[in-house]
Amino acid sequence: MGRWDGHPLLHLRVRQEGVPPGFVMPVPLRIQFPDSAQAFVRVNVRGAVTEATLRLPAAPALLELNPLGSVLAEVKSEPWTGTPARPD
């Protein structure tokens, strides 16, 4: 996790398999913070791989993709490899 303007940066990558290149699926992400506050955001996943960088108010304690099971998916975690993109 990096920092930008004094705020933590969350880098995430979402992969989908068996979808056409133009397929877009909004996927919810729950961000839990150490003080028990939480935020819900949607990540628009496009094609096979989507990378995103979010500027957060504090470092997260827990991340949960598809927390309510509203997207038909099997969620797996994997280690980050490569260099994440900087936010715009």
Side-chain angles (χ1 to χ4, degrees):
M1 179 172 295
R3 293 189 80 73
W4 185 58
D5 251 359
H7 294 273
L9 293 177
L10 170 65
H11 305 289
L12 61 106
R13 178 182 296 136
V14 181
R15 298 181 193 276
Q16 10 181 42
E17 297 175 352
V19 298
F23 182 79
V24 178
M25 174 60 69
V27 179
L29 172 68
R30 182 174 73 95
I31 306 168
Q32 179 80 42
F33 296 99
D35 66 357
S36 297
Q38 61 183 355
F40 288 86
V41 297
R42 283 202 178 113
V43 179
N44 285 326
V45 180
R46 288 174 168 56
V49 178
T50 297
E51 291 186 3
T53 300
L54 304 174
R55 192 174 117 189
L56 302 178
L62 177 74
L63 302 171
E64 186 178 7
L65 194 64
N66 195 23
L68 303 174
S70 57
V71 176
L72 181 59
E74 179 181 342
V75 178
K76 299 177 187 176
S77 294
E78 64 181 38
W80 186 275
T81 57
T83 303
R86 298 286 299 172
D88 294 330

XYZ file of all heavy atoms in Angstrom:
675
model
N 0.853 -1.171 0.000
C 0.000 0.000 0.000
C 0.891 1.223 0.000
O 1.799 1.335 0.806
C -0.905 -0.030 1.224
C -1.790 1.172 1.293
S -3.035 1.119 2.570
C -4.006 -0.231 2.010
N 0.610 2.134 -0.902
C 1.378 3.364 -0.991
C 0.655 4.511 -0.304
O -0.350 4.324 0.372
N 1.192 5.715 -0.479
C 0.564 6.911 0.073
C 0.555 7.994 -1.005
O 1.439 8.034 -1.849
C 1.321 7.397 1.302
C 1.209 6.425 2.460
C 1.758 6.988 3.746
N 0.874 7.889 4.445
C -0.223 7.547 5.121
N -0.589 6.303 5.162
N -0.945 8.445 5.748
N -0.463 8.841 -0.966
C -0.577 9.953 -1.896
C -1.251 11.094 -1.163
O -2.329 10.898 -0.582
C -1.370 9.529 -3.122
C -1.447 10.562 -4.190
C -0.395 11.154 -4.832
C -2.618 11.137 -4.749
N -0.843 12.046 -5.765
C -2.218 12.056 -5.737
C -3.966 10.958 -4.525
C -3.108 12.803 -6.483
C -4.870 11.696 -5.276
C -4.442 12.605 -6.240
N -0.647 12.225 -1.148
C -1.196 13.383 -0.433
C -1.443 13.067 1.037
O -2.407 13.544 1.627
C -2.514 13.820 -1.091
C -2.387 15.123 -1.834
O -1.293 15.705 -1.843
O -3.404 15.561 -2.400
N -0.614 12.206 1.611
C -0.767 11.839 3.017
C -1.819 10.786 3.294
O -2.023 10.403 4.436
N -2.505 10.303 2.272
C -3.549 9.298 2.451
C -3.072 7.945 1.940
O -2.359 7.863 0.944
C -4.823 9.685 1.678
C -5.488 10.912 2.206
N -6.391 10.866 3.224
C -5.364 12.216 1.861
C -6.812 12.091 3.493
N -6.199 12.930 2.669
N -3.498 6.864 2.596
C -3.144 5.532 2.090
C -3.794 5.276 0.730
O -4.916 5.714 0.474
C -3.728 4.572 3.136
C -4.030 5.401 4.329
C -4.262 6.792 3.841
N -3.068 4.588 -0.124
C -3.591 4.168 -1.424
C -3.822 2.667 -1.403
O -2.934 1.907 -1.027
C -2.593 4.497 -2.540
C -2.356 5.964 -2.835
C -1.279 6.109 -3.904
C -3.632 6.645 -3.275
N -4.996 2.264 -1.806
C -5.329 0.852 -1.917
C -5.254 0.472 -3.391
O -5.943 1.067 -4.220
C -6.741 0.592 -1.387
C -7.309 -0.795 -1.646
C -6.503 -1.852 -0.886
C -8.767 -0.848 -1.257
N -4.395 -0.483 -3.716
C -4.278 -0.976 -5.084
C -4.988 -2.323 -5.145
O -4.726 -3.194 -4.310
C -2.813 -1.156 -5.472
C -2.002 0.086 -5.296
N -2.139 1.186 -6.113
C -1.052 0.412 -4.400
C -1.299 2.125 -5.720
N -0.629 1.678 -4.681
N -5.878 -2.484 -6.100
C -6.556 -3.767 -6.226
C -6.630 -4.199 -7.673
O -6.596 -3.386 -8.584
C -7.942 -3.740 -5.575
C -8.968 -2.760 -6.111
C -9.993 -3.515 -6.920
C -9.628 -2.060 -4.954
N -6.706 -5.490 -7.829
C -6.811 -6.112 -9.167
C -7.923 -7.149 -9.084
O -7.946 -7.965 -8.171
C -5.493 -6.781 -9.524
C -5.525 -7.495 -10.874
C -4.206 -8.203 -11.168
N -3.120 -7.238 -11.289
C -1.925 -7.399 -10.735
N -1.651 -8.464 -10.027
N -0.995 -6.485 -10.893
N -8.831 -7.085 -10.042
C -9.926 -8.059 -10.103
C -9.853 -8.753 -11.453
O -9.760 -8.101 -12.491
C -11.306 -7.369 -9.924
C -12.421 -8.404 -9.979
C -11.353 -6.588 -8.616
N -9.869 -10.070 -11.413
C -9.846 -10.873 -12.638
C -11.191 -11.574 -12.801
O -11.791 -11.998 -11.831
C -8.774 -11.957 -12.546
C -7.382 -11.462 -12.413
C -6.407 -12.662 -12.362
N -5.096 -12.260 -11.930
C -4.168 -11.755 -12.722
N -4.423 -11.596 -13.995
N -2.998 -11.405 -12.244
N -11.615 -11.701 -14.054
C -12.793 -12.513 -14.366
C -12.439 -13.428 -15.519
O -11.672 -13.056 -16.393
C -14.039 -11.710 -14.702
C -13.955 -10.278 -14.899
C -15.288 -9.628 -15.194
O -16.319 -9.913 -14.615
N -15.263 -8.717 -16.128
N -13.002 -14.594 -15.471
C -12.735 -15.589 -16.514
C -14.014 -15.905 -17.265
O -15.112 -15.830 -16.716
C -12.181 -16.865 -15.885
C -10.853 -16.654 -15.184
C -10.384 -17.905 -14.453
O -11.143 -18.890 -14.365
O -9.244 -17.880 -13.963
N -13.848 -16.254 -18.539
C -14.984 -16.680 -19.339
C -15.932 -15.554 -19.718
O -17.127 -15.784 -19.880
N -15.406 -14.321 -19.830
C -16.248 -13.188 -20.223
C -15.665 -12.550 -21.480
O -14.456 -12.575 -21.698
C -16.352 -12.137 -19.093
C -16.998 -12.729 -17.863
C -14.998 -11.546 -18.756
N -16.508 -11.941 -22.328
C -15.990 -11.252 -23.510
C -15.253 -9.972 -23.093
O -15.493 -9.437 -22.006
C -17.235 -10.935 -24.332
C -18.387 -11.062 -23.410
C -17.969 -11.966 -22.291
N -14.361 -9.445 -23.952
C -13.559 -8.263 -23.613
C -14.375 -7.038 -23.192
O -13.956 -6.276 -22.345
C -12.780 -7.972 -24.895
C -12.755 -9.253 -25.636
C -14.018 -9.982 -25.279
N -15.555 -6.827 -23.747
C -16.363 -5.655 -23.417
C -17.285 -5.835 -22.229
O -18.024 -4.917 -21.874
N -17.254 -6.981 -21.592
C -18.160 -7.265 -20.476
C -17.815 -6.390 -19.272
O -16.662 -6.280 -18.881
C -18.058 -8.744 -20.092
C -18.984 -9.146 -18.991
C -20.319 -9.376 -19.247
C -18.522 -9.286 -17.695
C -21.187 -9.766 -18.229
C -19.371 -9.667 -16.670
C -20.707 -9.904 -16.941
N -18.817 -5.734 -18.685
C -18.628 -4.887 -17.504
C -19.539 -5.394 -16.395
O -20.730 -5.624 -16.608
C -18.973 -3.408 -17.810
C -18.821 -2.549 -16.567
C -18.111 -2.883 -18.934
N -18.968 -5.551 -15.194
C -19.744 -5.991 -14.035
C -19.380 -5.113 -12.840
O -18.221 -5.089 -12.420
C -19.435 -7.454 -13.704
C -20.087 -7.948 -12.430
S -21.886 -7.883 -12.417
C -22.284 -9.143 -13.590
N -20.343 -4.357 -12.291
C -20.059 -3.610 -11.070
C -20.015 -4.579 -9.888
O -20.967 -5.317 -9.636
C -21.211 -2.624 -10.950
C -22.288 -3.151 -11.829
C -21.661 -4.095 -12.815
N -18.895 -4.604 -9.187
C -18.696 -5.539 -8.072
C -18.510 -4.730 -6.792
O -17.654 -3.849 -6.730
C -17.472 -6.443 -8.325
C -17.248 -7.386 -7.159
C -17.646 -7.234 -9.620
N -19.301 -5.007 -5.750
C -19.151 -4.268 -4.499
C -17.900 -4.708 -3.728
O -17.487 -5.862 -3.779
C -20.420 -4.610 -3.719
C -20.971 -5.832 -4.340
C -20.435 -5.923 -5.730
N -17.316 -3.732 -3.027
C -16.152 -3.962 -2.188
C -16.426 -3.319 -0.836
O -16.789 -2.139 -0.767
C -14.908 -3.326 -2.828
C -13.634 -3.304 -1.987
C -13.094 -4.720 -1.774
C -12.581 -2.420 -2.646
N -16.281 -4.107 0.236
C -16.432 -3.573 1.601
C -15.040 -3.312 2.149
O -14.174 -4.184 2.103
C -17.168 -4.547 2.510
C -17.380 -3.998 3.915
C -18.239 -4.918 4.752
N -17.538 -6.110 5.139
C -16.903 -6.262 6.305
N -16.873 -5.300 7.193
N -16.295 -7.404 6.584
N -14.823 -2.101 2.651
C -13.558 -1.727 3.261
C -13.814 -1.493 4.743
O -14.586 -0.599 5.105
C -12.984 -0.453 2.613
C -12.874 -0.629 1.092
C -11.633 -0.104 3.236
C -12.582 0.658 0.346
N -13.204 -2.314 5.577
C -13.345 -2.188 7.031
C -12.089 -1.498 7.566
O -10.975 -1.878 7.206
C -13.476 -3.573 7.666
C -13.610 -3.567 9.170
C -15.009 -3.239 9.632
O -15.972 -3.732 9.056
N -15.126 -2.426 10.644
N -12.273 -0.481 8.418
C -11.160 0.256 8.993
C -10.928 -0.183 10.440
O -11.824 -0.760 11.072
C -11.429 1.760 8.910
C -11.522 2.251 7.487
C -12.746 2.443 6.878
C -10.370 2.490 6.748
C -12.831 2.873 5.561
C -10.434 2.919 5.433
C -11.672 3.110 4.840
N -9.751 0.061 10.992
C -9.437 -0.393 12.353
C -10.397 0.123 13.426
O -10.602 -0.549 14.429
C -8.015 0.135 12.598
C -7.426 0.263 11.239
C -8.578 0.658 10.345
N -11.009 1.284 13.206
C -11.929 1.837 14.218
C -13.354 1.303 14.055
O -14.289 1.847 14.620
C -11.926 3.355 14.156
C -12.493 3.905 12.850
O -12.843 3.111 11.948
O -12.575 5.143 12.724
N -13.536 0.245 13.273
C -14.831 -0.409 12.997
C -15.684 0.345 11.980
O -16.767 -0.119 11.634
C -15.641 -0.660 14.269
O -14.934 -1.556 15.097
N -15.245 1.512 11.509
C -15.961 2.183 10.424
C -15.796 1.342 9.161
O -14.833 0.575 9.035
C -15.398 3.584 10.201
N -16.742 1.459 8.256
C -16.644 0.723 7.005
C -17.189 1.564 5.855
O -17.962 2.484 6.068
C -17.335 -0.628 7.079
C -18.807 -0.581 7.368
C -19.394 -1.976 7.493
O -18.729 -2.971 7.282
N -20.652 -2.057 7.837
N -16.729 1.216 4.674
C -17.195 1.882 3.459
C -17.500 0.810 2.430
O -16.842 -0.234 2.396
C -16.122 2.836 2.934
N -18.513 1.073 1.609
C -18.847 0.196 0.496
C -18.633 0.987 -0.789
O -19.128 2.116 -0.906
C -20.301 -0.280 0.572
C -20.548 -1.267 1.667
C -20.828 -0.850 2.955
C -20.483 -2.628 1.414
C -21.050 -1.752 3.970
C -20.702 -3.556 2.422
C -20.987 -3.112 3.703
N -17.888 0.415 -1.727
C -17.675 1.040 -3.030
C -17.949 -0.005 -4.101
O -17.942 -1.207 -3.826
C -16.242 1.606 -3.184
C -15.981 2.715 -2.184
C -15.204 0.523 -3.067
N -18.193 0.474 -5.313
C -18.359 -0.445 -6.455
C -17.155 -0.304 -7.355
O -16.720 0.807 -7.669
C -19.615 -0.108 -7.238
C -20.850 -0.584 -6.545
C -21.992 -0.747 -7.528
N -23.118 -1.252 -6.788
C -24.232 -0.595 -6.568
N -24.391 0.594 -7.089
N -25.189 -1.126 -5.870
N -16.647 -1.436 -7.780
C -15.547 -1.477 -8.727
C -16.129 -1.966 -10.044
O -16.708 -3.063 -10.095
C -14.430 -2.432 -8.246
C -13.308 -2.491 -9.259
C -13.923 -2.011 -6.876
N -16.034 -1.160 -11.108
C -16.517 -1.591 -12.419
C -15.451 -2.459 -13.059
O -14.420 -1.968 -13.497
C -16.840 -0.393 -13.314
C -18.129 0.275 -12.913
O -19.064 -0.390 -12.477
N -18.190 1.572 -13.046
N -15.690 -3.758 -13.065
C -14.747 -4.722 -13.615
C -15.045 -4.867 -15.101
O -16.157 -5.215 -15.484
C -14.859 -6.074 -12.875
C -13.881 -7.075 -13.446
C -14.623 -5.878 -11.383
N -14.023 -4.584 -15.929
C -14.173 -4.631 -17.385
C -13.244 -5.684 -17.964
O -12.054 -5.683 -17.678
C -13.799 -3.289 -18.009
C -14.789 -2.183 -17.779
C -14.232 -0.865 -18.330
N -15.125 0.244 -18.436
C -15.842 0.777 -17.471
N -15.833 0.265 -16.289
N -16.606 1.833 -17.678
N -13.797 -6.561 -18.791
C -12.978 -7.574 -19.452
C -12.333 -8.528 -18.465
O -12.841 -8.763 -17.378
N -11.188 -9.074 -18.843
C -10.541 -10.114 -18.045
C -9.873 -9.589 -16.779
O -9.890 -10.253 -15.742
C -9.520 -10.848 -18.903
N -9.270 -8.389 -16.820
C -8.534 -7.861 -15.666
C -8.810 -6.378 -15.514
O -8.749 -5.620 -16.481
C -7.010 -8.062 -15.822
C -6.257 -7.465 -14.643
C -6.659 -9.526 -15.975
N -9.104 -5.965 -14.289
C -9.278 -4.558 -13.959
C -8.380 -4.231 -12.777
O -8.389 -4.948 -11.783
C -10.737 -4.240 -13.585
O -11.564 -4.488 -14.730
C -10.919 -2.810 -13.133
N -7.604 -3.160 -12.898
C -6.799 -2.666 -11.787
C -7.334 -1.297 -11.397
O -7.730 -0.511 -12.254
C -5.328 -2.565 -12.164
C -4.688 -3.913 -12.361
C -3.192 -3.832 -12.603
O -2.622 -2.720 -12.564
O -2.594 -4.891 -12.833
N -7.364 -1.035 -10.091
C -7.857 0.241 -9.595
C -7.017 0.673 -8.404
O -6.437 -0.164 -7.708
C -9.319 0.126 -9.189
N -6.972 1.970 -8.184
C -6.313 2.538 -7.018
C -7.304 3.467 -6.346
O -7.880 4.340 -6.991
C -5.039 3.309 -7.420
O -4.145 2.407 -8.070
C -4.354 3.905 -6.209
N -7.515 3.246 -5.051
C -8.440 4.070 -4.280
C -7.673 4.807 -3.193
O -6.851 4.215 -2.497
C -9.508 3.182 -3.614
C -10.324 2.282 -4.528
C -11.213 1.368 -3.704
C -11.152 3.109 -5.484
N -7.952 6.092 -3.041
C -7.359 6.877 -1.954
C -8.285 6.752 -0.748
O -9.479 7.054 -0.837
C -7.231 8.324 -2.396
C -6.384 9.144 -1.456
C -6.176 10.506 -2.039
N -6.791 11.454 -1.128
C -6.952 12.727 -1.387
N -6.604 13.210 -2.543
N -7.488 13.509 -0.504
N -7.750 6.292 0.366
C -8.552 6.024 1.559
C -8.244 7.018 2.674
O -7.146 7.577 2.721
C -8.266 4.609 2.063
C -8.518 3.459 1.084
C -8.147 2.133 1.725
C -9.960 3.446 0.622
N -9.175 7.207 3.607
C -8.919 8.110 4.739
C -7.975 7.495 5.772
O -7.357 8.207 6.551
C -10.303 8.347 5.330
C -11.089 7.145 4.938
C -10.541 6.712 3.602
N -7.885 6.162 5.790
C -7.024 5.448 6.743
C -6.684 4.088 6.138
O -7.359 3.629 5.211
C -7.736 5.264 8.081
N -5.663 3.456 6.675
C -5.297 2.118 6.198
C -6.421 1.137 6.543
O -6.970 1.187 7.643
C -3.992 1.665 6.838
N -6.787 0.252 5.629
C -7.874 -0.691 5.905
C -7.412 -1.836 6.796
O -6.247 -2.214 6.790
C -8.250 -1.205 4.513
C -6.990 -1.083 3.728
C -6.276 0.113 4.263
N -8.359 -2.386 7.535
C -8.098 -3.574 8.348
C -8.533 -4.831 7.598
O -7.963 -5.894 7.778
C -8.838 -3.476 9.680
N -9.563 -4.697 6.734
C -10.120 -5.844 6.027
C -10.758 -5.377 4.726
O -11.396 -4.321 4.686
C -11.190 -6.525 6.903
C -11.941 -7.695 6.304
C -11.033 -8.926 6.265
C -13.181 -7.994 7.108
N -10.591 -6.166 3.684
C -11.246 -5.929 2.407
C -12.086 -7.146 2.075
O -11.636 -8.280 2.260
C -10.223 -5.722 1.293
C -9.245 -4.582 1.478
C -8.173 -4.636 0.409
C -9.963 -3.250 1.467
N -13.300 -6.925 1.583
C -14.164 -8.048 1.204
C -14.832 -7.724 -0.126
O -15.654 -6.809 -0.211
C -15.201 -8.301 2.289
C -16.035 -9.519 2.036
C -17.032 -9.788 3.149
O -17.174 -8.962 4.079
O -17.695 -10.834 3.075
N -14.465 -8.472 -1.148
C -15.053 -8.321 -2.472
C -16.360 -9.103 -2.504
O -16.417 -10.235 -2.022
C -14.080 -8.844 -3.528
C -14.354 -8.475 -4.974
C -14.245 -6.965 -5.175
C -13.375 -9.178 -5.893
N -17.409 -8.495 -3.045
C -18.721 -9.131 -3.151
C -19.250 -9.558 -1.776
O -19.628 -10.707 -1.573
C -18.642 -10.326 -4.111
C -19.987 -10.817 -4.554
O -20.984 -10.103 -4.530
N -20.034 -12.074 -4.962
N -19.287 -8.634 -0.789
C -19.624 -9.001 0.585
C -21.026 -9.567 0.789
O -21.232 -10.347 1.715
C -19.452 -7.695 1.361
C -19.663 -6.629 0.342
C -19.114 -7.201 -0.939
N -21.971 -9.206 -0.056
C -23.345 -9.688 0.124
C -23.688 -10.833 -0.830
O -24.823 -11.284 -0.875
C -24.329 -8.534 -0.063
C -24.102 -7.332 0.861
C -25.027 -6.178 0.494
C -24.267 -7.742 2.310
N -22.703 -11.274 -1.608
C -22.949 -12.365 -2.550
C -23.890 -11.973 -3.671
O -24.559 -12.822 -4.249
N -23.929 -10.674 -4.011
C -24.866 -10.198 -5.036
C -24.374 -10.462 -6.457
O -25.142 -10.324 -7.399
C -25.131 -8.703 -4.845
O -23.919 -7.985 -4.875
N -23.106 -10.832 -6.615
C -22.543 -11.147 -7.926
C -22.225 -12.636 -7.936
O -21.582 -13.146 -7.014
C -21.267 -10.327 -8.198
C -20.634 -10.721 -9.516
C -21.570 -8.838 -8.162
N -22.690 -13.330 -8.965
C -22.397 -14.755 -9.087
C -20.909 -14.901 -9.392
O -20.454 -14.579 -10.494
C -23.242 -15.375 -10.208
C -23.069 -16.869 -10.436
C -23.409 -17.649 -9.176
C -23.932 -17.329 -11.587
N -20.143 -15.324 -8.382
C -18.687 -15.369 -8.549
C -18.054 -16.259 -7.503
O -18.618 -16.480 -6.433
C -18.106 -13.966 -8.425
N -16.860 -16.728 -7.810
C -16.012 -17.403 -6.841
C -14.859 -16.445 -6.571
O -14.106 -16.091 -7.474
C -15.484 -18.714 -7.422
C -14.586 -19.463 -6.485
C -14.055 -20.742 -7.106
O -14.636 -21.231 -8.105
O -13.046 -21.243 -6.600
N -14.754 -15.965 -5.336
C -13.738 -14.976 -4.989
C -12.505 -15.685 -4.445
O -12.598 -16.498 -3.536
C -14.272 -13.969 -3.950
C -13.196 -12.980 -3.549
C -15.498 -13.242 -4.495
N -11.345 -15.362 -5.032
C -10.063 -15.911 -4.599
C -9.097 -14.751 -4.375
O -9.153 -13.760 -5.102
C -9.464 -16.835 -5.662
C -10.303 -18.026 -6.000
C -9.628 -18.816 -7.123
C -10.509 -19.944 -7.615
N -9.893 -20.637 -8.761
N -8.211 -14.886 -3.412
C -7.168 -13.879 -3.186
C -5.874 -14.364 -3.805
O -5.623 -15.563 -3.874
C -6.947 -13.658 -1.687
O -8.084 -13.088 -1.120
N -5.056 -13.407 -4.247
C -3.747 -13.753 -4.792
C -2.783 -12.637 -4.426
O -3.200 -11.497 -4.203
C -3.808 -13.947 -6.306
C -4.165 -12.728 -7.081
C -4.237 -12.965 -8.589
O -4.703 -14.025 -9.016
O -3.817 -12.068 -9.325
N -1.486 -12.923 -4.360
C -0.519 -11.868 -4.038
C -0.386 -10.884 -5.194
O -0.616 -11.238 -6.346
C 0.787 -12.624 -3.806
C 0.608 -13.927 -4.514
C -0.865 -14.224 -4.517
N -0.032 -9.645 -4.880
C 0.154 -8.623 -5.896
C 1.517 -8.818 -6.548
O 2.515 -8.990 -5.870
C 0.091 -7.231 -5.273
C 0.137 -6.176 -6.328
C 1.237 -5.656 -6.902
C -0.987 -5.555 -6.943
N 0.885 -4.733 -7.866
C -0.470 -4.649 -7.903
C -2.365 -5.670 -6.788
C -1.299 -3.861 -8.697
C -3.170 -4.882 -7.575
C -2.646 -3.994 -8.519
N 1.556 -8.773 -7.862
C 2.823 -8.788 -8.592
C 2.789 -7.628 -9.579
O 1.734 -7.273 -10.090
C 3.056 -10.104 -9.362
O 1.965 -10.325 -10.251
C 3.149 -11.284 -8.405
N 3.909 -7.037 -9.827
C 3.961 -5.917 -10.752
C 3.875 -4.595 -10.015
O 3.828 -4.534 -8.800
N 3.842 -3.520 -10.765
C 3.784 -2.175 -10.208
C 2.381 -1.601 -10.410
O 1.911 -1.525 -11.538
C 4.806 -1.255 -10.912
O 6.099 -1.842 -10.778
C 4.800 0.133 -10.313
N 1.699 -1.227 -9.313
C 0.359 -0.665 -9.475
C 0.389 0.715 -10.114
O 1.370 1.445 -9.994
C -0.163 -0.578 -8.038
C 1.019 -0.693 -7.154
C 2.113 -1.340 -7.926
N -0.679 1.053 -10.806
C -0.805 2.354 -11.454
C -1.050 3.433 -10.409
O -1.661 3.178 -9.374
C -1.959 2.323 -12.448
N -0.568 4.636 -10.655
C -0.820 5.780 -9.775
C -2.218 6.329 -10.065
O -2.690 6.248 -11.191
C 0.206 6.892 -10.021
C 1.622 6.518 -9.735
C 1.958 6.435 -8.291
N 1.768 7.728 -7.648
C 1.839 7.888 -6.356
N 2.088 6.901 -5.569
N 1.637 9.078 -5.828
N -2.883 6.919 -9.059
C -4.211 7.488 -9.327
C -4.106 8.714 -10.221
O -3.086 9.371 -10.277
C -4.697 7.889 -7.920
C -3.448 8.054 -7.122
C -2.431 7.107 -7.703
N -5.199 8.994 -10.911
C -5.232 10.178 -11.797
C -5.369 11.444 -11.008
O -5.881 11.525 -9.975
C -6.394 10.053 -12.787
C -6.159 8.883 -13.743
O -4.991 8.581 -14.032
O -7.161 8.299 -14.192
